[in-house]
Amino acid sequence: MVIKVFLASSSGSTAIKKKQQDVVAFLEALKVDYTELDIACSEENRMWMRQNVPQDKKPANGIPLPPQIFNEESYCGDYETFFDAKEDNSVYTFLGLPPPPGSKEAVQAEEEHIMQNGTHVEENPDDSVAQAEEEEEQEEEEAEVEEASRLLAVWTMTSHNSLSFSFFLMCQREKKKTWKTHRSKRLSKPSGQ
């Protein structure tokens, strides 16, 4: 399944640009495979997006604005519904994708399933190690998402219009790697030197 994000590369609206950047940055942080389709440069993309947004989801003037998000041919929603899903920790459900094991959304789905069915699979003691590893991975994933959100905020505030967010993110990661290497070298030196 491919997530399609319809964007306008040459939008004159700052609000639309920020919404587009927010969607793309969050998908990148979650490592979701997606394709950007530019409606400013392709009449075919613009017409496809307009025809495939459900009538009840179109604004009063009938012309939906970017970003619009689809899973293949299936309409997921616009920025507002994406933002709501993000706030509710239900982005994978919004996108029509299965949540990764151990993610907040997967845990919520499991809890809802238990509440609906009143049953729970008994844990095997051997599974405790696997569960601890999953919890650690989940914490790392959450930390990555928080870091990406923080970096997006920094990038937005500094208005690096000439830099793409991906390039900015890569530079920040390189700084972090360099700092960790320097710190580990400093800590590994004997105290007498």
Side-chain angles (χ1 to χ4, degrees):
M1 288 190 247
V2 175
I3 302 302
K4 298 177 182 177
V5 182
F6 286 84
L7 309 169
S9 62
S10 61
S11 174
S13 168
T14 305
I16 288 176
K17 287 179 184 177
K18 287 185 179 189
K19 289 175 181 179
Q20 293 175 161
Q21 290 169 349
D22 188 28
V23 169
V24 169
F26 200 77
L27 293 176
E28 284 182 9
L30 292 179
K31 298 178 179 138
V32 171
D33 289 331
Y34 69 94
T35 301
E36 291 181 21
L37 299 166
D38 190 358
I39 65 168
C41 296
S42 170
E43 184 65 25
E44 183 180 329
N45 287 343
R46 180 185 3 256
M47 294 309 297
W48 191 94
M49 180 193 80
R50 288 181 179 176
Q51 291 169 355
N52 288 284
V53 170
Q55 194 63 35
D56 61 320
K57 304 294 182 180
K58 290 182 180 178
N61 70 2
I63 300 173
L65 297 174
Q68 296 290 330
I69 305 161
F70 291 81
N71 183 334
E72 294 289 343
E73 311 297 316
S74 176
Y75 182 70
C76 298
D78 60 5
Y79 176 78
E80 282 72 25
T81 52
F82 174 81
F83 182 81
D84 291 342
K86 188 169 111 173
E87 291 296 309
D88 294 338
N89 291 319
S90 60
V91 173
Y92 290 100
T93 301
F94 168 80
L95 295 172
L97 300 173
S103 67
K104 282 184 181 179
E105 195 169 340
V107 170
Q108 286 175 341
E110 177 65 23
E111 288 172 356
E112 288 175 14
H113 178 72
I114 291 169
M115 289 175 67
Q116 289 174 355
N117 297 335
T119 60
H120 190 281
V121 178
E122 291 297 319
E123 282 190 25
N124 182 343
D126 295 333
D127 290 341
S128 62
V129 172
Q131 184 179 3
E133 289 174 354
E134 285 180 17
E135 289 173 1
E136 186 176 318
E137 287 177 10
Q138 179 183 355
E139 289 173 6
E140 289 174 4
E141 181 179 312
E142 289 172 3
E144 285 179 11
V145 170
E146 287 177 22
E147 178 68 6
S149 295
R150 186 190 66 76
L151 289 173
L152 176 61
V154 169
W155 181 75
T156 303
M157 285 187 283
T158 56
S159 299
H160 288 96
N161 292 332
S162 62
L163 292 178
S164 72
F165 180 71
S166 299
F167 180 73
F168 174 77
L169 194 57
M170 182 184 72
C171 292
Q172 294 299 316
R173 287 181 181 152
E174 287 301 316
K175 282 183 186 177
K176 192 174 185 179
K177 285 180 191 175
T178 304
W179 181 81
K180 283 183 178 179
T181 303
H182 175 71
R183 182 171 182 251
S184 65
K185 286 180 182 177
R186 194 180 77 220
L187 293 175
S188 66
K189 288 183 179 179
S191 60
Q193 294 181 352

